[in-house]
Amino acid sequence: MATVLITGANRDLGLEFVKQYANAAWQVIACCRNPALASALQELASQHSNIQIETLDVADFDQIDQLAHKLVKHPIDVLINNAGVYGDIRARGFKHLDYHAWTQNFIVNSQAPLRMVEAFFQNLKQGQQKLIVNISTLMASITDNTSGGSILYRSSKAALNATMKSLAIDLHDQGIGVLILHPGWVKTDMGGPNGLIDADESVSGMRRIIADFTLEQSGNFLNYDGSGMPW
């Protein structure tokens, strides 16, 4: 049975990833900050014996290491860095930026995904697919940025893209792949009610990309439908 580890698994895209992979008979390691409050995830796990819920705040690197130690003998085929934060507030734009919140954006959106790879590297090497998936955003694109704003989110996700592009090159010879995915404008808590697609369509598309991945695609920045995204 193939295994996927998903961060931010308690809601929105993360929860939909858990649902779809569980239905596809994968072993799912679903990570979130507070499982006791993750009622939808707990309900899903009660219906699927192949869902394993783990406590993980990705901003706490000690917790990442502790979980990696717990799972040291578990091969991981796909690691999905889904957990993310949007720290921008309309009233805290230029000249009023919250620099503490900006730092937290970089920790969660940029640093934690790489720390996850470092901690679970041996698990990935033991897996069959050996793939790292990062949920990014079109808002990380410098080319596409014609509207400005959202400085905290844009910059931290652009840093994620740059980090994972480098990692794809660094790990290529070891047979470990890296994907950077834009999930589309999804109707979620972060995307808002005006999103163009729902979580089911977004995750179904991203799962197709994951399933069809070849190492030659490592480092690509792709839309959920498989088309290329502008850097």
Side-chain angles (χ1 to χ4, degrees), residues 1-2 4 6 15-30 41 44-45 47-52 207:
M1 181 184 291
V4 57
I6 304 162
L15 186 64
E16 185 64 27
F17 269 119
V18 174
K19 176 182 176 181
Q20 292 195 23
Y21 274 112
N23 286 336
W26 282 54
Q27 178 66 36
V28 180
I29 303 171
L41 179 59
L44 196 57
Q47 301 168 12
H48 296 272
S49 61
N50 53 329
I51 297 175
Q52 173 182 339
R207 284 186 59 234

Side-chain angles (χ1 to χ4, degrees), residues 148-168:
S150 300
I151 289 174
L152 280 61
Y153 188 63
R154 287 185 187 278
S155 62
S156 60
K157 285 292 191 177
L160 169 67
N161 287 11
T163 298
M164 290 301 165
K165 177 64 176 180
S166 283
L167 192 65

Side-chain angles (χ1 to χ4, degrees), residues 60-115:
D60 185 337
F61 292 0
D62 287 338
Q63 270 195 23
I64 292 177
D65 291 339
Q66 289 164 14
L67 181 59
H69 179 74
K70 178 180 179 180
L71 301 176
V72 66
K73 295 183 179 180
H74 292 248
I76 293 174
D77 294 276
V78 178
L79 167 63
I80 301 180
N81 284 314
N82 169 71
V85 61
Y86 182 89
D88 290 278
I89 300 173
R90 187 178 297 274
R92 298 300 298 267
F94 177 63
K95 296 184 72 174
H96 302 283
L97 289 172
D98 183 338
Y99 281 84
H100 175 72
W102 199 354
T103 299
Q104 287 303 114
N105 266 235
F106 270 103
I107 291 172
V108 174
N109 294 343
S110 315
Q111 296 179 6
L114 183 57
R115 190 69 194 90

Side-chain angles (χ1 to χ4, degrees), residues 2-231:
T3 298
V4 57
L5 187 152
I6 304 162
T7 64
N10 58 305
R11 62 189 178 97
D12 296 336
L13 293 174
L15 186 64
E16 185 64 27
F17 269 119
V18 174
K19 176 182 176 181
Q20 292 195 23
Y21 274 112
N23 286 336
W26 282 54
Q27 178 66 36
V28 180
I29 303 171
C31 304
C32 64
R33 286 182 297 175
N34 195 336
L37 300 179
S39 56
L41 179 59
Q42 293 284 359
E43 174 64 23
L44 196 57
S46 72
Q47 301 168 12
H48 296 272
S49 61
N50 53 329
I51 297 175
Q52 173 182 339
I53 300 177
E54 296 289 350
T55 300
L56 181 63
D57 179 352
V58 297
D60 185 337
F61 292 0
D62 287 338
Q63 270 195 23
I64 292 177
D65 291 339
Q66 289 164 14
L67 181 59
H69 179 74
K70 178 180 179 180
L71 301 176
V72 66
K73 295 183 179 180
H74 292 248
I76 293 174
D77 294 276
V78 178
L79 167 63
I80 301 180
N81 284 314
N82 169 71
V85 61
Y86 182 89
D88 290 278
I89 300 173
R90 187 178 297 274
R92 298 300 298 267
F94 177 63
K95 296 184 72 174
H96 302 283
L97 289 172
D98 183 338
Y99 281 84
H100 175 72
W102 199 354
T103 299
Q104 287 303 114
N105 266 235
F106 270 103
I107 291 172
V108 174
N109 294 343
S110 315
Q111 296 179 6
L114 183 57
R115 190 69 194 90
M116 287 290 296
V117 176
E118 290 179 329
F120 291 95
F121 185 65
Q122 293 303 320
N123 306 75
L124 285 162
K125 288 183 70 174
Q126 295 170 36
Q128 292 296 312
Q129 191 165 2
K130 298 178 174 60
L131 179 59
I132 302 152
V133 178
N134 304 278
I135 306 305
S136 186
T137 172
L138 178 60
M139 293 181 72
S141 170
I142 295 172
T143 301
D144 185 75
N145 185 1
T146 60
S147 60
S150 300
I151 289 174
L152 280 61
Y153 188 63
R154 287 185 187 278
S155 62
S156 60
K157 285 292 191 177
L160 169 67
N161 287 11
T163 298
M164 290 301 165
K165 177 64 176 180
S166 283
L167 192 65
I169 297 168
D170 294 342
L171 299 184
H172 187 274
D173 288 347
Q174 299 189 57
I176 296 177
V178 178
L179 277 175
I180 307 161
L181 300 180
H182 169 53
W185 186 8
V186 189
K187 296 174 184 176
T188 61
D189 289 346
M190 186 180 292
N194 297 321
L196 300 178
I197 59 173
D198 60 23
D200 176 77
E201 181 180 354
S202 173
V203 170
S204 293
M206 289 189 286
R207 284 186 59 234
R208 283 191 292 272
I209 296 170
I210 292 167
D212 295 339
F213 174 81
T214 63
L215 197 58
E216 289 70 28
Q217 297 171 302
S218 192
N220 284 1
F221 182 23
L222 302 174
N223 194 17
Y224 76 98
D225 63 4
S227 59
M229 298 295 291
W231 291 101

